[in-house]
Amino acid sequence: MQQTDFVNYDELAELARRVTRFTGPDYSDEQLNNMRKEDWRKDLEEVTRNFANEKLLIDVAFMFSLPDTYNPRSIVVGSTTGTIYLINLVKRHNYDGIWTATNYGIVSESNIGTESQNIAYNIITLDNAAPKVKEWAQAYLNSTHGAEEVFISGNANMDEDKTYILLVAEPKASIELLNIRAANQMVVVNYADSFLDEEMYGRQPYVLLEFEAPVLDVFIKKNSSVRIKDIRPYM
């Protein structure tokens, strides 16, 4: 899987939290009672996209929720023309749980994180890695006994134009990539181990990242491990 487009979500989230000027619609009780009859209004993503299309008159390029916002929920929405908005929505439990957009503000009118600043990367397997990379990664996988992360730059007899990062899960765990930022010769990787009580989902014991350019700074953060239990009744 190759990633070529990059949006600096952390930077956008920080800017969005500074927005102080908002405008938005007011809803009458009659309007809300009519809206509750439409099931699609219980879908947060669909309500956000509809508000962006119908009220802001934009085509959505991306959207993501600000961390630690639930109800109200704050969603950053980027348009295909580069303007970025912060839309605040509330879930109205007294109207059958529909979502409504309460207000919005402009985060930025420029496209933050343009492709020219980005470092393209691939998630590759050992089988698809160059021989020297495969040898290095396999040796590390064979020797590790716990959660580890390591990076090796292209100037270490691997590939002068590429950088590799290897993430290894704890025993019986699976690597879950949370997000990757790769721009301006800096890479930030957030990941976590997940432990599954059931084997039906399989495992991802490692992740090998191949960046299409030299990297000067690498920051790797391991988040708290999560345990996933399948509580669905068996048929």
Side-chain angles (χ1 to χ4, degrees), residues 41-109:
R41 294 189 183 274
K42 297 178 183 179
D43 186 316
L44 175 63
E45 181 177 343
E46 191 166 354
V47 171
T48 304
R49 191 176 299 276
N50 177 267
F51 183 82
N53 294 156
E54 300 294 328
K55 301 301 182 182
L56 302 182
L57 303 178
I58 63 171
D59 292 322
V60 175
F62 66 87
M63 66 173 71
F64 68 94
S65 296
L66 287 187
D68 303 321
T69 64
Y70 303 98
N71 189 21
R73 183 74 63 87
S74 298
I75 298 185
V76 178
V77 176
S79 73
T80 54
T81 59
T83 304
I84 299 167
Y85 299 86
L86 177 66
I87 303 176
N88 294 309
L89 303 98
V90 294
K91 187 174 187 179
R92 298 178 184 265
H93 296 289
N94 53 337
Y95 290 93
D96 295 338
I98 63 172
W99 286 96
T100 59
T102 57
N103 54 46
Y104 70 93
I106 295 179
V107 178
S108 173
E109 293 184 340

Side-chain angles (χ1 to χ4, degrees), residues 59-166:
D59 292 322
V60 175
F62 66 87
M63 66 173 71
F64 68 94
S65 296
L66 287 187
D68 303 321
T69 64
Y70 303 98
N71 189 21
R73 183 74 63 87
S74 298
I75 298 185
V76 178
V77 176
S79 73
T80 54
T81 59
T83 304
I84 299 167
Y85 299 86
L86 177 66
I87 303 176
N88 294 309
L89 303 98
V90 294
K91 187 174 187 179
R92 298 178 184 265
H93 296 289
N94 53 337
Y95 290 93
D96 295 338
I98 63 172
W99 286 96
T100 59
T102 57
N103 54 46
Y104 70 93
I106 295 179
V107 178
S108 173
E109 293 184 340
S110 62
N111 191 4
I112 298 176
T114 59
E115 289 189 34
S116 61
Q117 299 173 326
N118 305 334
I119 305 171
Y121 67 90
N122 299 290
I123 300 176
I124 63 175
T125 65
L126 290 183
D127 291 339
N128 294 328
K132 289 184 179 180
V133 177
K134 182 176 181 179
E135 180 182 355
W136 158 74
Q138 189 64 67
Y140 196 83
L141 284 167
N142 291 342
S143 64
T144 187
H145 298 288
E148 302 286 348
E149 66 274 345
V150 65
F151 78 96
I152 187 160
S153 181
N155 60 15
N157 298 320
M158 291 295 178
D159 189 318
E160 292 183 357
D161 297 321
K162 296 182 180 180
T163 298
Y164 299 89
I165 295 177
L166 177 67

Side-chain angles (χ1 to χ4, degrees), residues 171-182:
K172 299 182 180 180
S174 182
I175 288 284
E176 298 298 333
L177 282 176
L178 303 181
N179 58 69
I180 299 174
R181 292 170 49 195

